[in-house]
Amino acid sequence: MPAPERIPTGSVSSSPEQLGPLGRLEPLELLAKGELTVRGQVREASNAVLFCSVSYAGEEASCVYKPVVGERPLWDFPDGTLAQREVAAYEISEALGWHLVPPTVLRDGPYGEGMVQLWIEADPAAELLALVEEEQPGQGWKAVGFAEVGEGRTALLVHADDARLRRLAVLDAVINNGDRKGGHLLPAPDGVLYAIDHGVTFNVDDKLRTLLWGWAGEPLPPEALAALGALSSALADGGPLVTRLAQLLTPAEVAAVRARVAALVASGKHPAPSGEWPAIPWPPL
């Protein structure tokens, strides 16, 4: 097999120009069938993340392409599986009915198979996380924990008491997200919240690491229990969701998804840190 082409080293360090909104095409169709053109590389990412345009049938949009050949090996995940996990996270988000993960497909691209996801331009004015000097969060905020901020000082890390974030906390518990950082939250200008970077997910062991612990131990809201109940039904053997997940995950990982959903429904509560794994990712943002 010939060696893969070298991934470009040019960078997109902040906010590249985004192409216009989609027209008549569904995003998944455009992402799956369109021609990918690499425009640059997102510099800050630990794995190869390429900013691209995708065009098909006269329409064009911006997207992110993460080729499998650009994935850095991890000790606790099989090599070359992060792209599939990103797609599986999208499938679970859709099955919950919350649409928190941007449209995402697995396809061939300029550097081989990889994950392709619609680019989301975040609203820089939206505030979902903060560090405060007080020992208690203010109204409208939930405490995560104290963090070192330099020169022997600590500050309280808080996140917004926001229904969108609460849904995301539930999604992360279902997919066992091992890396929910602040930079993965993309509040769009229209008020919709998206979440990205779901490669480190679906491990059979408890790996939940997140900045969204503010509801730990609290009862799940009724809408979350209803969504989890629907997801449990969708995870029945022979259904289209299980068929799709079986293409992306191992049988043990699919079984673990079922078990986590059942545990959430049975407890009726947001999970709390297990104490067996670092609860907060580093760096947190």
Side-chain angles (χ1 to χ4, degrees):
M1 177 182 296
E5 294 182 70
R6 184 175 65 86
I7 293 173
T9 57
S11 67
V12 178
S13 59
S14 55
S15 298
E17 181 181 357
Q18 186 176 20
L19 299 170
L22 298 180
R24 60 182 177 82
L25 285 180
E26 291 293 328
L28 290 181
E29 182 180 12
L30 177 60
L31 293 173
K33 298 180 179 180
E35 179 181 359
L36 285 176
T37 301
V38 176
R39 304 297 186 186
Q41 183 172 13
V42 179
R43 178 187 299 167
E44 297 86 354
S46 56
N47 298 305
V49 179
L50 305 180
F51 177 71
C52 299
S53 62
V54 58
S55 58
Y56 179 71
E59 295 195 21
E60 193 171 17
S62 301
C63 63
V64 167
Y65 165 46
K66 297 183 181 180
V68 171
V69 295
E71 293 179 4
R72 183 178 62 180
L74 299 172
W75 68 269
D76 51 350
F77 287 85
D79 291 351
T81 66
L82 304 190
Q84 291 94 318
R85 296 171 194 277
E86 296 245 26
V87 179
Y90 168 75
E91 297 289 352
I92 293 292
S93 172
E94 292 299 290
L96 284 166
W98 290 340
H99 315 297
L100 290 163
V101 180
T104 310
V105 302
L106 188 69
R107 56 162 290 179
D108 194 34
Y111 301 98
E113 185 178 62
M115 180 278 281
V116 177
Q117 185 176 80
L118 192 68
W119 179 272
I120 301 297
E121 195 68 34
D123 180 3
E127 291 191 38
L128 298 175
L129 295 163
L131 286 167
V132 298
E133 299 292 337
E134 293 78 11
E135 294 189 358
Q136 297 294 330
Q139 185 175 4
W141 295 87
K142 305 289 285 188
V144 178
F146 288 94
E148 295 285 341
V149 293
E151 299 180 355
R153 296 171 52 247
T154 61
L156 183 63
L157 178 63
V158 298
H159 64 68
D161 188 3
D162 186 304
R164 300 170 302 170
L165 287 182
R166 193 164 192 172
R167 286 179 170 184
L168 184 56
V170 176
L171 172 65
D172 283 343
V174 170
I175 67 176
N176 196 16
N177 192 348
D179 194 34
R180 173 60 71 212
K181 297 176 180 176
H184 301 165
L185 308 176
L186 300 180
D190 60 4
V192 176
L193 175 68
Y194 294 97
I196 60 170
D197 285 353
H198 296 106
V200 188
T201 51
F202 295 103
N203 201 297
V204 295
D205 298 324
D206 182 5
K207 299 282 188 178
L208 186 57
R209 294 195 303 172
T210 175
L211 293 180
L212 303 180
W213 287 117
W215 298 283
E218 293 187 12
L220 290 164
E223 68 135 0
L225 288 171
L228 289 168
L231 177 60
S232 180
S233 298
L235 288 167
D237 284 335
L241 177 60
V242 170
T243 300
R244 180 60 176 139
L245 292 179
Q247 299 169 344
L248 302 166
L249 306 171
T250 67
E253 289 167 343
V254 175
V257 174
R258 287 196 182 104
R260 287 191 294 270
V261 172
L264 286 166
V265 172
S267 71
K269 296 180 179 180
H270 286 273
S274 67
E276 299 177 358
W277 180 254
I280 297 176
W282 189 262
L285 302 178

